[in-house]
Amino acid sequence: MDAIKKIKYIVIAIAVLFSLQAWAGSKEEQLLQRLDSVVSMREPISKQREAEIAVISNQLTRSDDRRRFELCLELSVKYDKFVLDSAMVWARRAMSIALSLNDVQCRARANVQMAWVYNNYGLYSDAMDALATVHAADLNPEDRPHYYNLIVNANKNMSTYSLDNVQREHFKAIYASYTDSVNMIQPSNVGMRARALEAEGRIDEAIVLLKTNVKDGETTSLAGVRFFILSQLYQQQGNVEMQRRYLIYSAIADITNANRDYISLRILAEMLMEEGDLKRAYKYIHVCAEDAYLSGSRTRQFECSSLIATIDKQLVDRDTRRRTMLVVLLAVVSVITLLAAVQAFLLRRRNRALERTSLERDDALKRLETINIQLVEDNAEQLRLNQLLEESNQVKETYVLRFMALCRDYLHKMENYRNYLNKVAAKRNFDDLLNAVSSTRYIHREMSEFYANFDEAYLKLFPTFVADVKALMRTEDAIPTPAPGKLNTELRIVALQRLGVSDVEQVSEFLQCSISTVYNYRSKLRNNARDKDLYEAFLKSKHFKNA
């Protein structure tokens, strides 16, 4: 009993596991469909961003220099990660205005914005040079976290893409140092705090921190950054499912906010490629490449180019495999067709042999009929002898002996007849032989009983059938009223059509009448119908009015 219980628990656990996997797969597919929908809305989203930019641009002509400086910075931020060339143009205009104002703070803010654009371009050295001209003291307190975040981001990128190990470690140390500084200056920066916990190996705490401060499905720009960090943390844990889920959330947020300089969708495309979903991977990586081109991000263009080549190669390989499989299937179908042709030839030859057998059977039946006549004559003779035996007791012994002799002869003949039938049956189909020698005088009676059974069964299932048909006619006497519980030939034709037996030859064989009779009855019924279309619909309908 304990073993049975254990097996039962194991089966239940496996069922629950499969159910959870199916549910998780369904949820992930829903997220991917949502992402597909957002991807299809990229053009309207871009137009909305352009409309927002146009509203800001229209204010430039009506503003003084200081207000124009703020508007230029705002335009640069709007174009950042959307069209980097335009973002740089507006950042430089902001710098030009700052120089004309001779305002140190404005120059510092313009330099920070230019450094951000360089960083997003992938020109990390230029970004570092621009940052070198800025002092934190020249910035307002509210602008300093943005400045420190840029230093962290630029040094992180320098450490990631540096080819020299010494420089890589140097920039990594600066990145770690400024991360601590940002966390002290801006403790509310959840993403930076999560990066600090990640650097210390406290992955679980970093995940809890991020998930506490962002809800699944949020579409703000900040949420997109936090979702991307979550995906990287889950990647370090080896949790592919959660990594993929938060990459989807991040990609949705990026595209919703008209961010063309993103990473999430490219990494998601690579994961889908590895999992065999080449159709979506191909679609996503080409979207990434298009957005990278439109934004002008060299780094993203380089990242997409190699992945596009890989996905294209896998698609070509898959198509090659499919074509090979198609050729194999065509070969298999050809072989099957050939075998079917051979089988048809063998069946045809067998049918010819059966035809010959049928002719031989007819000959045997004729011989059997002759034997039957002889047997009838023998029976008559036996009856005559029996009568003679009854008429005279005086010759009882003689007639008894004679009767016994006749019986012996009759039995001998029957035995010979039986042996003959056995020989015939051994060579032929015994059931067909017996049916063939049976008298045909019972056929009509059997057909009558068959029609009666058909009528009774049909009317029992559909008691209003006769009334329904007559209601479709222009006059009630268009169809003769059959006896209770019976159908006439016209009604049987309609019943067979309603049952799907519409072939005229089949109907004529079923009702033991000519094909022309069936046609005449059908034409008569159709011509007498009140509404021919309604009548045809009635014939094609698969339902009846039951009692």
Side-chain angles (χ1 to χ4, degrees), residues 35-102:
L35 175 57
D36 291 337
S37 177
V38 173
V39 167
S40 67
M41 295 295 293
R42 284 163 55 240
E43 185 175 351
I45 291 171
S46 297
K47 288 183 178 179
Q48 182 180 354
R49 172 57 62 89
E50 290 169 356
E52 294 171 357
I53 290 171
V55 171
I56 300 171
S57 299
N58 291 334
Q59 301 177 35
L60 288 169
T61 57
R62 304 189 302 271
S63 305
D64 57 18
D65 286 348
R66 192 164 293 278
R67 176 60 181 159
R68 286 175 55 241
F69 171 80
E70 296 294 340
L71 291 173
C72 288
L73 274 187
E74 187 176 355
L75 285 169
S76 180
V77 172
K78 283 288 185 181
Y79 273 116
D80 194 17
K81 297 191 175 183
F82 185 62
V83 181
L84 292 175
D85 288 343
S86 298
M88 180 56 74
V89 167
W90 288 108
R92 285 173 175 165
R93 287 189 185 180
M95 175 60 75
S96 176
I97 296 172
L99 291 173
S100 66
L101 291 173
N102 196 23

Side-chain angles (χ1 to χ4, degrees), residues 74 78 255 259 374 526:
E74 187 176 355
K78 283 288 185 181
I255 296 173
N259 177 8
Q374 183 65 40
R526 191 175 187 279

Side-chain angles (χ1 to χ4, degrees), residues 53 77 191 277 306 310 332 467 498 526:
I53 290 171
V77 172
D277 191 352
S306 59
T310 303
V332 171
R498 291 296 297 273
R526 191 175 187 279

Side-chain angles (χ1 to χ4, degrees), residues 273-289:
M273 177 196 70
E274 293 171 353
E275 293 168 3
D277 191 352
L278 295 179
K279 183 177 179 181
R280 270 203 176 101
Y282 180 85
K283 174 183 177 182
Y284 291 165
I285 194 59
H286 278 272
V287 168
C288 293

